[in-house]
Amino acid sequence: MSLLARSTGYLSRWSNPVAALMLIGASAAISTGAHADPADFQAMPGLWKITLHTLKDGKEQVKWKCFYEGADPWTTFADSVEPDANCQRSGEHRTSTALAWQVSCGAHQGTARIQLDSAQHYAGKVMQDGKPVLDIEGQRLAGCTGPAD
Protein backbone atom coordinates (compact mmCIF):
# COMPACT_ATOMS: atom_id res chain seq x y z
CA MET A 1 0.00 0.00 0.00
CA SER A 2 1.44 3.34 -0.97
CA LEU A 3 2.09 6.15 1.48
CA LEU A 4 -0.56 8.31 -0.21
CA ALA A 5 -3.17 5.57 0.09
CA ARG A 6 -2.38 5.06 3.79
CA SER A 7 -2.54 8.83 4.45
CA THR A 8 -5.90 9.27 2.76
CA GLY A 9 -7.24 6.16 4.50
CA TYR A 10 -6.18 7.58 7.87
CA LEU A 11 -7.73 10.96 7.11
CA SER A 12 -11.00 9.44 5.98
CA ARG A 13 -11.56 8.09 9.48
CA TRP A 14 -11.60 11.69 10.76
CA SER A 15 -13.80 13.07 8.02
CA ASN A 16 -16.87 12.27 10.09
CA PRO A 17 -18.16 15.65 11.36
CA VAL A 18 -19.26 14.17 14.70
CA ALA A 19 -15.78 12.76 15.34
CA ALA A 20 -14.22 16.10 14.39
CA LEU A 21 -16.48 17.98 16.80
CA MET A 22 -15.68 15.51 19.59
CA LEU A 23 -11.96 15.96 18.96
CA ILE A 24 -12.25 19.76 19.04
CA GLY A 25 -14.33 19.62 22.22
CA ALA A 26 -11.89 17.28 23.95
CA SER A 27 -8.90 19.42 23.03
CA ALA A 28 -10.62 22.57 24.29
CA ALA A 29 -11.48 20.87 27.58
CA ILE A 30 -7.90 19.88 28.30
CA SER A 31 -6.24 22.97 26.88
CA THR A 32 -3.66 24.51 29.23
CA GLY A 33 -4.70 27.98 28.15
CA ALA A 34 -8.24 27.51 29.46
CA HIS A 35 -9.17 29.72 32.36
CA ALA A 36 -10.92 28.20 35.34
CA ASP A 37 -14.41 29.35 36.13
CA PRO A 38 -14.45 31.29 39.42
CA ALA A 39 -17.50 29.29 40.45
CA ASP A 40 -15.47 26.04 40.53
CA PHE A 41 -13.26 27.30 43.38
CA GLN A 42 -14.46 25.32 46.39
CA ALA A 43 -14.41 28.13 48.99
CA MET A 44 -17.82 28.84 50.47
CA PRO A 45 -19.11 32.34 49.71
CA GLY A 46 -19.39 34.66 52.69
CA LEU A 47 -17.37 36.86 55.04
CA TRP A 48 -13.80 35.63 55.44
CA LYS A 49 -11.32 36.58 58.16
CA ILE A 50 -7.81 36.46 56.68
CA THR A 51 -4.99 36.47 59.24
CA LEU A 52 -1.45 37.27 58.08
CA HIS A 53 1.32 36.37 60.51
CA THR A 54 4.69 37.91 59.63
CA LEU A 55 7.42 35.46 60.62
CA LYS A 56 10.22 38.03 60.83
CA ASP A 57 8.70 40.17 63.59
CA GLY A 58 5.71 38.10 64.72
CA LYS A 59 3.16 40.79 63.85
CA GLU A 60 -0.35 39.81 62.87
CA GLN A 61 -2.66 41.62 60.52
CA VAL A 62 -6.32 40.76 60.03
CA LYS A 63 -8.21 41.50 56.81
CA TRP A 64 -11.90 40.96 56.19
CA LYS A 65 -13.13 40.03 52.70
CA CYS A 66 -16.47 39.01 51.25
CA PHE A 67 -16.34 36.21 48.73
CA TYR A 68 -19.49 36.21 46.60
CA GLU A 69 -20.87 33.34 44.54
CA GLY A 70 -19.00 33.36 41.21
CA ALA A 71 -16.40 35.95 42.35
CA ASP A 72 -12.81 35.61 41.22
CA PRO A 73 -10.78 33.99 44.04
CA TRP A 74 -7.64 35.84 42.88
CA THR A 75 -9.16 39.20 43.80
CA THR A 76 -10.61 37.97 47.08
CA PHE A 77 -7.94 35.68 48.50
CA ALA A 78 -4.61 36.19 46.72
CA ASP A 79 -4.76 40.00 46.65
CA SER A 80 -5.16 39.97 50.44
CA VAL A 81 -1.94 38.12 51.23
CA GLU A 82 0.92 40.01 49.62
CA PRO A 83 3.71 40.55 52.17
CA ASP A 84 4.22 44.16 51.06
CA ALA A 85 2.25 46.75 49.08
CA ASN A 86 4.95 46.91 46.35
CA CYS A 87 4.78 43.17 45.59
CA GLN A 88 3.71 41.94 42.18
CA ARG A 89 1.97 38.63 41.49
CA SER A 90 2.63 36.48 38.39
CA GLY A 91 2.59 32.86 37.23
CA GLU A 92 -0.82 32.17 38.72
CA HIS A 93 -1.98 28.56 38.95
CA ARG A 94 -5.33 27.49 40.34
CA THR A 95 -7.14 24.28 41.15
CA SER A 96 -10.53 23.88 42.78
CA THR A 97 -8.89 23.90 46.24
CA ALA A 98 -5.62 25.85 45.87
CA LEU A 99 -4.08 29.04 44.55
CA ALA A 100 -0.34 29.28 43.85
CA TRP A 101 1.67 32.13 42.34
CA GLN A 102 5.06 33.82 42.07
CA VAL A 103 5.78 36.90 44.20
CA SER A 104 8.20 39.67 43.28
CA CYS A 105 8.83 42.32 45.95
CA GLY A 106 11.61 44.57 44.70
CA ALA A 107 14.81 42.53 44.83
CA HIS A 108 13.10 39.65 46.68
CA GLN A 109 11.59 36.79 44.68
CA GLY A 110 9.42 34.03 45.99
CA THR A 111 6.29 31.94 45.86
CA ALA A 112 2.94 31.91 47.61
CA ARG A 113 0.30 29.24 48.04
CA ILE A 114 -2.98 28.87 49.83
CA GLN A 115 -4.74 25.51 50.17
CA LEU A 116 -8.35 24.93 51.21
CA ASP A 117 -8.67 22.14 53.77
CA SER A 118 -12.44 22.64 53.81
CA ALA A 119 -14.93 24.94 52.10
CA GLN A 120 -14.66 27.27 55.11
CA HIS A 121 -10.93 27.26 55.96
CA TYR A 122 -7.56 27.55 54.25
CA ALA A 123 -3.92 27.92 55.21
CA GLY A 124 -0.93 29.05 53.25
CA LYS A 125 2.54 30.51 53.17
CA VAL A 126 4.58 33.12 51.33
CA MET A 127 8.24 32.30 50.72
CA GLN A 128 10.86 34.87 49.69
CA ASP A 129 14.43 34.07 48.78
CA GLY A 130 13.81 30.48 49.87
CA LYS A 131 12.64 31.40 53.39
CA PRO A 132 9.11 31.57 54.83
CA VAL A 133 8.08 35.18 55.49
CA LEU A 134 4.32 35.03 55.98
CA ASP A 135 1.86 32.47 57.31
CA ILE A 136 -1.70 32.85 56.09
CA GLU A 137 -4.96 31.55 57.51
CA GLY A 138 -8.45 32.19 56.20
CA GLN A 139 -11.69 31.28 57.86
CA ARG A 140 -15.26 31.87 56.72
CA LEU A 141 -17.24 33.28 59.62
CA ALA A 142 -20.60 34.44 58.28
CA GLY A 143 -22.62 35.38 55.25
CA CYS A 144 -22.14 38.80 53.65
CA THR A 145 -25.05 41.17 54.13
CA GLY A 146 -24.38 43.67 51.35
CA PRO A 147 -21.97 45.14 48.81
CA ALA A 148 -20.25 47.27 51.47
CA ASP A 149 -19.11 44.20 53.46
Side-chain angles (χ1 to χ4, degrees), residues 5 7 21-23 29 34 39 55 58 63 71 83 98-100 104 112 121 145:
S7 297
L21 286 174
M22 289 176 59
L23 180 62
L55 298 176
K63 295 183 178 185
L99 302 173
S104 177
H121 184 267
T145 57

Side-chain angles (χ1 to χ4, degrees), residues 32-89:
T32 58
H35 294 286
D37 179 7
D40 73 358
F41 193 63
Q42 300 298 312
M44 181 181 269
L47 181 63
W48 284 75
K49 176 184 177 185
I50 301 169
T51 305
L52 309 174
H53 179 79
T54 307
L55 298 176
K56 182 178 179 181
D57 56 17
K59 291 183 182 176
E60 278 196 359
Q61 178 183 12
V62 174
K63 295 183 178 185
W64 297 89
K65 287 284 206 165
C66 271
F67 181 60
Y68 293 99
E69 188 76 39
D72 187 354
W74 290 108
T75 59
T76 302
F77 298 112
D79 283 351
S80 301
V81 300
E82 298 302 336
D84 194 350
N86 70 347
C87 294
Q88 300 294 317
R89 186 177 72 224

Side-chain angles (χ1 to χ4, degrees), residues 2 9 17 24-25 27-29 32 40 53 56 67-69 78 83 91 96 105 114 119 127 139:
S2 74
I24 291 169
S27 66
T32 58
D40 73 358
H53 179 79
K56 182 178 179 181
F67 181 60
Y68 293 99
E69 188 76 39
S96 62
C105 304
I114 60 174
M127 307 279 288
Q139 183 174 2

